[in-house]
């Protein structure tokens, strides 16, 4: 989670749509229509007693239309007030002459208003206001009332006092413009500014700061530029705080050149000026330049940094992954005495989460003298980033207070660590406890459904989102579409995508749809969608390129893959390591190992996925020695391998030119002893495959018996496959019995047993296994393959005759079979032929089944 820090520029709001008939540079622009007076809260006072009472009674709405120029008694309604002493002196003698009643002096009212602001007490301000209404109009005192109400957060009260002034002055207008600008009522601030100029009152430097604040909040560059012109015309550009406001405007609107030009022309700068420049650099993603500005600030003007400077610089180091820069800022913070500052420490936690270690984050947290909800939430995020789910939950449970951001941090952490079930449980808890649900909450729970890939749950969450009206949000719609593709709901995903034309022009949804097609075995549709929308000039990003390159690899579509490689190079995305890995994998799957190696060598940096992808390519082409050579090079780089790396390297020993089982055993043992990686069932199964490949079946059986945990089906399948290769029927039947005991309804086991009998020439037994499989109602899932002809993808299933040219295909297939007979002879090796599929390849043909069975068309 990004560190929450105070910023010099105000936050964004919805843009306003007010039009102005004349230029702002005009001396007397047309006066815009006056806003209707907003409904305000009235406060009725007791006729006999004005007092301070605790607790404060609630405010009640004012229903009657107030008379112009007066505020109806702005105090809290007090029913049956306690017998306290009156705030103002009262005249107990009704017959005494008026001259004996002593009213407070003007200075007393100012003191009372200051007291009300200091103690955040509305009653004092209301009481003073009620007394002021009995006096003659005093603009200065009314301005003080406006300021007091604004500081107490009662902008409607302040506005009513302003409307009650017969002749508001510059201070009155400036305070109200500033109040509207800071209360998300920018339109009213702008209209009031034009009304002021229409009345003949010219703005001063404080008025310009107030109206520029409104422009910053709505990111109105056009109006802000006009204000800038007026500032220059009236000679206020030399005021530092006016220039700071202008820099904030141009920074918010992304005009970095204007920001730098204004900054360079400033005759006098303060810390706010430098902070605004640094913040602008960070917003423009120029993290290194932000650090350079910080060093210039110390060297040129010698300013001492404040907490905002340090927090912003730490954000720059975090996002720019600048470990040395962050350490430099941390050291500077300690040197200038900010080690106890809450904002700086929160930013440091965010920095060390991205660029440090869990030990550094924990130490910093424990040393903090003061913590707020942001601190605790940062720690939840940090532990989740390091994969320490239990520690994150422990911190969450210890939080003295929580908000929706805290819950969202835990929810997103579960998703980040692949724990979708716990994320869903937390979401249900949030709903039951009435926690505020934001777009981020819903996006996270939708992602959790995608992780679970559960059809029923995804429909329930989808219905919840639509029921509460969140479906029109672009981010949530994109997440819903991605969830549908992950849960196998491609029909629903296509309906969402093609329902509205704007969805097809949304780069995020377009990318999600391409990934969905690739994920659900529709690579041809993924490629078609990618090229279809290229004509619409949709921005291509790293994710869409990686997805479509994966689809090309699945199909073996080498020509299109090469074109997309060129596109990535042309638009400058080949430097992205994810795209580079996708290009590398595509060439490996298309059989072009030379280009794959060239891409690997030209990559500016390699991660573990890069090395694993190239190793996988060598294994696909049974180049075990080359894969092991690559492993040796990887070891020399010092990059730590992962579990996939060891799985690939163990498997590589099946395809070496010589028996290197001893080396493989040493590698297997080094997983735990040297790299602290616990071997899984996949690693045990891979090593059993190596033993079986080198005819060490008995050693494989002994290896299984000595496993530290109960072997699962993947281990027994590896033994069954090794038994098939070595025609060891006895051991194979034992392995098959173990598999059927664990997964009795898995049809693939029956297929493996049938192949085992076929490999030993026991066709009758093979047929009986197939018949038993049919009696139990188990069906083998059909195999689907693709072939590419004239840049068109043709897909086939086993025994498929649905293709429009199936007759021509079968005729060509028969000719090919006859040619294979000539190569293989009358008695070809039938050990590895699947009797039902009859997938004849490269001269292996079962002649006596030629006229009795269909063929797997996709194999040809």
């Amino acid at each position: 989670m990004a560190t929450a820090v105070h910023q010099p520029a105000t936050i964004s709001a919805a843009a306003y749509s007010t039009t102005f008939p004349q230029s702002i540079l005009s001396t007397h622009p047309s006066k815009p229509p006056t806003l209707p007076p907003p409904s305000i809260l009235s406060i009725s006072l007791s006729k006999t007693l004005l007092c301070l009472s605790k607790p404060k009674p609630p405010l009640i709405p004012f229903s009657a239309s107030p008379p112009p120029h007066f505020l109806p008694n702005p105090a809290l309604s007090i029913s049956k007030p306690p017998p306290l002493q009156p705030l103002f002196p009262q005249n107990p003698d009704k017959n005494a002459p008026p001259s004996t009643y002593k009213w407070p002096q003007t200075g007393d009212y100012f003191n009372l208003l200051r007291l009300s602001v200091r103690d955040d007490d509305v009653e004092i301000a209301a009481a003073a206001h009620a007394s002021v209404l009995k006096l003659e109009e005093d603009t200065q005192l009314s301005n003080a009332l406006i300021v007091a109400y604004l500081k107490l957060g009662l902008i409607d009260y302040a506005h009513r006092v302003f409307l009650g002034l017969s002749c508001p002055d510059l201070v009155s207008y400036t305070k109200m413009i500033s109040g509207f600008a800071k209360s998300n009522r920018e339109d009213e601030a702008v209209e009031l500014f034009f009304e002021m100029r229409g009345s003949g009152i010219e703005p001063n430097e404080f008025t310009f700061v107030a109206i520029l604040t409104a422009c910053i909040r709505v990111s109105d560059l056009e109006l802000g530029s006009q204000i800038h012109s007026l500032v220059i015309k009236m000679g206020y550009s030399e005021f530092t705080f006016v220039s700071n406001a202008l820099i904030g405007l141009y920074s918010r609107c992304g005009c970095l050149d204007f920001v730098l030009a204004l900054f360079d022309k400033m005759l006098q700068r303060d810390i706010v000026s430098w902070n605004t420049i640094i913040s602008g650099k960070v917003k423009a993603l120029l993290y290194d330049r932000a650090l350079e500005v910080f060093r210039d600030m110390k060297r040129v003007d010698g300013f001492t940094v404040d907490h905002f400077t340090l927090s912003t610089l730490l954000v720059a180091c975090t996002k720019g992954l600048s470990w040395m820069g962050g350490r430099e800022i941390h050291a500077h913070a300690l040197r200038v005495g900010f080690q106890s500052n809450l904002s700086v420490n929160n930013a440091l936690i965010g920095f060390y989460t991205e660029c440090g270690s869990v030990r550094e984050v924990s130490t910093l947290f424990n040393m903090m003298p003061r913590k707020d909800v942001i601190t605790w939430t940062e720690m939840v995020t940090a532990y989740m980033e390091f994969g320490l789910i239990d520690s994150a939950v422990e911190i969450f449970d210890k939080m003295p207070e929580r908000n929706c951001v805290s819950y969202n941090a835990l929810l997103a952490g579960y998703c980040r660590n692949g724990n979708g079930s716990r994320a869903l449980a937390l979401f249900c808890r949030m709903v039951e406890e009435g926690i505020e649900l934001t777009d981020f909450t819903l996006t996270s729970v939708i992602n959790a459904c995608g992780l679970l890939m559960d059809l029923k749950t995804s429909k329930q969450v989808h219905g919840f989102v639509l029921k509460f009206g969140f479906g029109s949000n672009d981010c949530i719609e994109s997440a819903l579409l991605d969830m549908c593709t992950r849960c196998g709901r491609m029909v629903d995903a296509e309906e969402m995508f093609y329902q509205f034309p704007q969805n097809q022009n949304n780069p995020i949804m377009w990318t999600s749809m391409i990934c969905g097609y690739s994920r659900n075995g529709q690579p041809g549709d993924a490629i078609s969608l990618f090229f279809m929308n290229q004509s619409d000039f949709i921005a291509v990003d790293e994710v869409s390129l990686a997805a479509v390159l994966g689809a090309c690899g699945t199909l073996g579509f080498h020509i299109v893959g090469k074109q997309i490689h060129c596109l990535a190079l042309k638009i400058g995305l080949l430097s992205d390591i994810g795209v580079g890995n996708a290009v590398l994998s595509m060439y490996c799957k298309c059989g072009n190992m030379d280009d794959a190696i060239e891409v690997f060598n030209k990559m500016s940096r390699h991660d573990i996925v890069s090395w694993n992808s190239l190793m996988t390519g060598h294994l696909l082409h049974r180049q075990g020695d080359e894969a092991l050579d690559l492993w040796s090079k990887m070891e020399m780089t010092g990059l730590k391998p992962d579990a996939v790396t060891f799985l690939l390297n163990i498997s590589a020993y099946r395809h070496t030119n010589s028996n290197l089982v001893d080396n493989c055993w040493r590698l297997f043992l080094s997983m735990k002893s040297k790299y602290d990686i616990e071997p899984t069932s996949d690693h045990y199964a891979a090593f059993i495959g190596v033993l079986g490949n080198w005819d060490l079946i008995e050693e494989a059986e002994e290896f299984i018996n000595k496993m530290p945990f109960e072997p699962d089906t993947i281990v027994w399948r590896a033994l069954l496959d090794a038994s098939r290769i070595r025609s060891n029927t006895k051991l194979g039947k034992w392995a098959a019995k173990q598999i059927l005991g664990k997964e009795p309804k898995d049809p693939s086991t029956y297929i493996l047993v049938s192949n085992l009998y076929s490999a030993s020439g026991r066709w009758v037994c093979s047929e009986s296994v197939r018949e038993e499989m049919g009696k139990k109602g188990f069906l083998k899932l059909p195999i689907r393959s693709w072939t590419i002809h004239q840049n068109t993808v043709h897909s086939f299933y086993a025994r498929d005759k649905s293709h429009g040219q199936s007759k021509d295909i079968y005729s060509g297939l028969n000719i090919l079979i006859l040619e294979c007979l000539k190569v293989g002879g009358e008695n070809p090796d039938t050990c590895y032929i699947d009797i039902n599929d009859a997938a004849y390849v490269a001269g292996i043909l079962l002649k006596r089944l030629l006229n009795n069975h269909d063929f797997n068309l996709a194999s040809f």
Side-chain angles (χ1 to χ4, degrees), residues 140-159:
Q140 187 179 7
L141 191 54
S142 297
N143 290 342
L145 273 170
I146 291 173
V147 172
Y149 280 136
L150 289 176
K151 290 184 177 180
L152 291 170
L154 301 173
I155 189 169
D156 288 329
Y157 282 27
H159 191 208

Side-chain angles (χ1 to χ4, degrees), residues 716 720 731-742 749 753:
W716 292 114
L720 179 59
L731 190 60
K733 289 175 65 177
W734 178 55
K737 182 179 179 180
Q738 301 296 327
I739 298 172
L740 291 174
K742 296 179 180 295
T749 306
V753 175

